[in-house]
Amino acid sequence: MNHSMQHPEQTEYSISYVSRVAGISSRTLRHYDHIGLLVPDHVALNGYRFYTQNQLIRLQRILLLRDMGLKLEHIAEILEEQRDEREALANHIQQLQVQRRTIDRQIRALERTISALENGENMKPETSFDGFNDQYKEEVIERWGPEAYNSSNQWWRSKSAEEQSDFFAQVKELNQAWVDAGDNKIDPESETALNLAGRHVRWLRSVPGTPLDSPDPEQRRTYVITLAEMYVADDRFAKNYGGHARFVCDALKAYAIKTTEI
């Protein structure tokens, strides 16, 4: 029997041992090796792969990111960017803490629904979906990475119910301003439309963790243009603007091109 399998405290571990303790197949580990995501420390003459602590730490991070729903190619990019393992692991802890708080909120929401049913009361929709309404999570992570989502999510969860309500009121007011301008057939490149676009960008900037925090003005500009196009392409956004999503898109793109304030 392989000595490292008998003594897992050793610094060298066989692929069969890593497969067993990590709960993934040897075939998956070989695939990770094949695509360069997790290369073993060395391969013996008989073809057996062996891993050390460095690879185990990397595998731990791979599995965490995979559980977040990220694709392997995206995981590879993140691991390449985050060379400091201690800092990266600390970030993973923060991400898991966010997930734990979300699960806790889901449990409380379900408990409130059960209580309402037992007492013959009506459930409260405004609280019954707490923890279930992260509808844009996957898209944010896919487009801008988990750090962007976690930063924004932590900022949002830190707000009181009253602060969250105020924020929604601001969004509603901004959306209505766009609808009114669209109803009045305002030129998307007019001063009125550009001022509204500037107001929209300032609102976007109030949410931390987005590419608008980037020091690169071109990245900030690209972010605004990408969002603008999403407002037209995605019905979930388009419905907020009363049939004027194209107007909103054109105004934001014009603002992104003309202004130096992004």
Side-chain angles (χ1 to χ4, degrees):
M1 180 176 290
N2 185 284
H3 183 70
S4 66
M5 291 180 66
Q6 291 179 314
H7 301 281
E9 72 276 10
Q10 298 298 314
T11 59
E12 186 178 281
Y13 309 96
S14 69
I15 187 172
S16 60
Y17 177 81
V18 174
S19 170
R20 179 165 57 84
V21 298
I24 59 176
S25 67
S26 296
R27 180 179 180 181
T28 297
L29 287 170
R30 288 192 291 270
H31 176 64
Y32 288 173
D33 179 15
H34 179 72
I35 64 176
L37 183 61
L38 181 67
V39 178
D41 178 73
H42 68 276
V43 179
L45 293 176
N46 59 7
Y48 289 176
R49 292 167 170 81
F50 290 90
Y51 301 81
T52 63
Q53 178 170 288
N54 289 336
Q55 288 82 49
L56 297 189
I57 292 174
R58 185 176 176 91
L59 177 58
Q60 191 179 55
R61 297 180 59 200
I62 290 170
L63 297 180
L64 283 169
L65 293 169
R66 191 186 69 175
D67 286 346
M68 293 175 62
L70 298 184
K71 297 178 180 179
L72 295 182
E73 55 266 31
H74 195 181
I75 291 175
E77 293 174 3
I78 293 173
L79 295 180
E80 183 63 26
E81 292 173 1
Q82 297 180 341
R83 301 265 181 170
D84 188 323
E85 289 179 341
R86 290 187 180 182
E87 180 182 352
L89 291 171
N91 288 336
H92 287 316
I93 290 174
Q94 291 180 349
Q95 293 161 13
L96 291 171
Q97 288 172 338
V98 169
Q99 291 178 0
R100 181 170 62 185
R101 287 195 292 270
T102 297
I103 293 172
D104 287 341
R105 285 167 35 232
Q106 291 175 336
I107 291 173
R108 288 195 296 269
L110 292 173
E111 288 175 340
R112 285 193 291 267
T113 299
I114 291 173
S115 177
L117 290 172
E118 290 177 343
N119 296 318
E121 301 171 348
N122 290 325
M123 64 185 289
K124 297 179 180 179
E126 64 271 19
T127 59
S128 296
F129 294 97
D130 187 30
F132 295 89
N133 53 6
D134 297 325
Q135 58 179 317
Y136 302 117
K137 176 179 178 178
E138 290 185 6
E139 287 141 288
V140 172
I141 291 176
E142 179 70 23
R143 290 174 180 271
W144 297 295
E147 292 80 7
Y149 172 78
N150 288 318
S151 178
S152 299
N153 192 46
Q154 288 174 4
W155 165 80
W156 177 249
R157 301 307 174 195
S158 69
K159 288 183 172 295
S160 66
E162 184 178 357
E163 289 173 330
Q164 291 181 352
S165 179
D166 288 343
F167 184 82
F168 279 126
Q170 293 176 25
V171 175
K172 185 176 180 180
E173 184 180 342
L174 178 60
N175 290 348
Q176 188 58 50
W178 279 118
V179 172
D180 292 343
D183 286 344
N184 290 325
K185 302 188 184 304
I186 300 295
D187 187 324
E189 297 192 22
S190 67
E191 183 177 356
T192 299
L194 294 178
N195 286 339
L196 189 53
R199 176 181 165 189
H200 193 100
V201 170
R202 287 190 294 275
W203 166 67
L204 290 171
R205 188 174 279 122
S206 72
V207 180
T210 75
L212 283 175
D213 289 339
S214 169
D216 182 1
E218 191 56 37
Q219 186 176 359
R220 299 195 299 268
R221 200 179 315 278
T222 299
Y223 171 67
V224 172
I225 292 174
T226 300
L227 274 183
E229 292 173 343
M230 192 187 302
Y231 291 163
V232 175
D234 194 323
D235 288 340
R236 292 171 302 174
F237 292 103
K239 69 181 182 181
N240 294 323
Y241 303 114
H244 301 298
R246 171 52 62 186
F247 163 67
V248 177
C249 174
D250 291 345
L252 284 170
K253 290 170 74 171
Y255 179 80
I257 293 171
K258 294 183 178 183
T259 188
T260 59
E261 296 182 6
I262 291 182

